[in-house]
Amino acid sequence: MAFLSVLSNEHAFASGLASKSAEGKRTVDKVVIFIFSDGLKSQFTNAKPILDKYGFKGTFDVVCNYVGAKNGYMDWDEIKELHDEGNDIGSHSMSHVRLTGLSEKSIEYEVGESKKCLDDYGITPTSFEYPFSIGSEDKNIVDTVSKHYEFATRGNDPLMFLKCDGMKQYGQDNCRTFSDNGTPTYTNKYSIRNWSHDFEIVENSYSESEALDRFIEVVNSQSQYNKNGAINAILIIMYHDFGNSDGSLTSIELFEKEMKYLHHNNFHVITICDLSY
C-alpha cells in the first residue's frame, strides 16, 4: 500500500506534474516540492519573482503571530497574494516555539489556533510545519496535529519515500502513524521529511558552486527509485531567507541557478497540498 502519492492523475496533469506517453502512461520521474519556512518577506520580494519566471509554485509556511508584526516578515496582503496566485500556504504555529514540554492547552493553541488564524483570512491550510523540526516523535503532539491538518513536515532527509518499503533503512516496514507501543513511527504523514538545503550550505561552508553541485546531486538522487512512471521518492526542499549581502542563507543568484536547472531539466514542481494519503 502506498504511503503517499500525488493527489490524482487528473489534478497532477493539470498542475504540470504528469506527462504521458502514446500509451497514456505517466513518464515523469523527477518531482520537487519547495517549502518556504517562517513567512519571511525576502521569500516574497526575492524568491517569488524567480518562481514566477519559471512557473513554479511553493508551500509557504507562516507563523501567524509574526505576520505583519515583525520586521522582515510578510504581511497578510502578501500572503493572500501568494495564495490567490496558486501557492500553498501552510501553518508553522502561532509563535514558533518548541512544542515539546508545553501543556496540552498550549500545544492546542500553537497548532489549532494557527489553523483558525489562516482560516480567518480565507486560507485553508492542509499542512503543519513543526517549529525547529521537533514534535513528530511525541504522540500527544501528533494527535493534536492530526485533528487539524492532513500532513505535517519536518527535516532533515534528502529524500521522502512515498512507499513503506522505502523506510526499511529506518526499521519501518508499514504505513501506520504509530507503532505497536504507541510511539510515532519514524516517517508517516505527520512526519514528512524535507531537506534543509540552506542550513546544509551554512553548516558545511559551501561556496556557491559547491552548493549548486550539491543541489544537483540531491535533486537527481530520486531517479534511481522512480522508474517507468512510478513515483516512489520525491525531494522536498526547505528554504528560509533570500538575499545577497544581509547574511541571508540563500543568495538570489544561487536560487536563480537552482530554479533554472530544474526548469531546463524538466523537473515537475508541486506543493504539499498536491499529496494524498
Side-chain angles (χ1 to χ4, degrees):
M1 184 178 75
F3 162 53
L4 288 170
S5 63
V6 295
L7 190 56
S8 70
N9 286 344
E10 294 77 17
H11 180 89
F13 186 80
S15 64
L17 171 61
S19 62
K20 297 185 178 182
S21 67
E23 293 78 20
K25 296 180 180 179
R26 189 169 58 195
T27 59
V28 167
D29 64 359
K30 298 182 290 188
V31 182
V32 175
I33 293 174
F34 306 130
I35 291 178
F36 299 94
S37 185
D38 298 339
L40 295 162
K41 187 174 285 289
S42 65
Q43 297 167 1
F44 186 88
T45 57
N46 294 338
K48 180 182 179 295
I50 297 172
L51 294 174
D52 292 345
K53 176 180 178 179
Y54 293 107
F56 294 157
K57 304 298 181 185
T59 294
F60 291 79
D61 291 341
V62 301
V63 180
C64 271
N65 284 342
Y66 289 3
V67 178
K70 280 196 169 190
N71 290 333
Y73 290 83
M74 286 186 277
D75 59 31
W76 284 112
D77 287 339
E78 291 163 333
I79 291 169
K80 286 178 64 65
E81 182 176 333
L82 287 169
H83 176 260
D84 292 346
E85 291 181 358
N87 291 283
D88 180 30
I89 307 297
S91 167
H92 196 20
S93 80
M94 286 298 293
S95 19
H96 202 280
V97 296
R98 287 175 170 81
L99 301 180
T100 51
L102 294 182
S103 67
E104 184 176 337
K105 181 178 180 180
S106 294
I107 293 170
E108 176 61 35
Y109 169 75
E110 292 293 336
V111 174
E113 191 67 20
S114 60
K115 182 177 187 299
K116 182 180 182 300
C117 166
L118 290 168
D119 285 338
D120 288 344
Y121 283 89
I123 299 168
T124 303
T126 61
S127 65
F128 179 82
E129 181 193 334
Y130 296 99
F132 305 100
S133 287
I134 295 172
S136 66
E137 305 91 349
D138 187 302
K139 182 182 187 302
N140 293 330
I141 293 172
V142 172
D143 279 340
T144 301
V145 172
S146 69
K147 289 192 305 183
H148 300 286
Y149 304 92
E150 292 295 318
F151 305 107
T153 62
R154 55 151 301 161
N156 184 28
D157 282 295
L159 285 179
M160 179 64 200
F161 290 93
L162 304 187
K163 294 183 181 294
C164 301
D165 56 11
M167 297 300 150
K168 289 180 179 178
Q169 60 182 311
Y170 303 110
Q172 181 174 340
D173 60 0
N174 60 72
C175 300
R176 293 180 298 168
T177 301
F178 299 103
S179 58
D180 289 339
N181 64 9
T183 59
T185 54
Y186 177 81
T187 299
N188 56 72
K189 69 174 185 171
Y190 299 109
S191 185
I192 295 174
R193 260 38 190 196
N194 62 64
W195 176 52
S196 298
H197 173 41
D198 47 14
F199 282 175
E200 184 176 299
I201 292 173
V202 173
E203 289 172 0
N204 292 279
S205 300
Y206 287 148
S207 66
E208 185 169 301
S209 62
E210 289 172 333
L212 181 60
D213 287 345
R214 175 61 174 157
F215 175 88
I216 292 171
E217 175 190 7
V218 173
V219 298
N220 284 298
S221 64
Q222 63 187 288
S223 294
Q224 62 182 305
Y225 303 103
N226 300 340
K227 305 290 185 181
N228 302 316
I231 302 173
N232 297 312
I234 60 175
L235 177 64
I236 304 174
I237 309 173
M238 176 172 284
Y239 291 98
H240 292 81
D241 54 343
F242 296 83
N244 291 322
S245 60
D246 59 355
S248 297
L249 295 178
T250 303
S251 73
I252 298 171
E253 286 84 357
L254 176 60
F255 188 63
E256 167 77 37
K257 290 175 182 177
E258 291 174 346
M259 297 304 101
K260 182 178 180 179
Y261 179 85
L262 295 179
H263 183 267
H264 287 190
N265 288 276
N266 300 314
F267 281 78
H268 293 266
V269 177
I270 62 173
T271 67
I272 293 294
C273 70
D274 290 319
L275 297 174
S276 65
Y277 178 75

